Amino acid sequence: MQDIILYVAIILIGYFITKKGIIPKFIDNKVGLLQSFSLFFLLGMMGYKIGADSELLSKVHILGINSIIITVCAIAGSVLLVHLIYKGGKK
């Protein structure tokens, strides 16, 4: 629970710093680059951790099938929801 409170607090601090204009323009222009670097670093670390786990690698065929099922269901649900919302707005 403390972790969630910490995450929410960090998000709120960032929100208020942005709204008050405390961040200088030259740093604000580099935020996209920092976000991309952070994302690539996180993906690299996750890949390293997954690749180092031999138990996980031995079950990758099961996880692959589950991943495909979850992905297909998520895409189908999203398309269906967008279709229902869009169709509902055209009345």
Side-chain angles (χ1 to χ4, degrees), residues 28-77:
D28 194 31
N29 293 337
K30 304 290 184 191
V31 169
L33 180 65
L34 178 64
Q35 287 174 336
S36 294
F37 174 77
S38 299
L39 177 64
F40 293 140
F41 181 76
L42 177 65
L43 288 172
M45 289 295 106
M46 287 173 56
Y48 172 76
K49 187 152 182 128
I50 290 170
D53 190 354
S54 60
E55 182 181 341
L56 182 67
L57 288 177
S58 68
K59 298 177 182 177
V60 81
H61 61 283
I62 297 170
L63 295 172
I65 293 170
N66 289 343
S67 298
I68 290 172
I69 292 170
I70 291 170
T71 302
V72 168
C73 290
I75 291 171

Side-chain angles (χ1 to χ4, degrees), residues 70-85:
I70 291 170
T71 302
V72 168
C73 290
I75 291 171
S78 296
V79 169
L80 179 65
L81 187 62
V82 168
H83 177 69
L84 291 174
I85 290 172

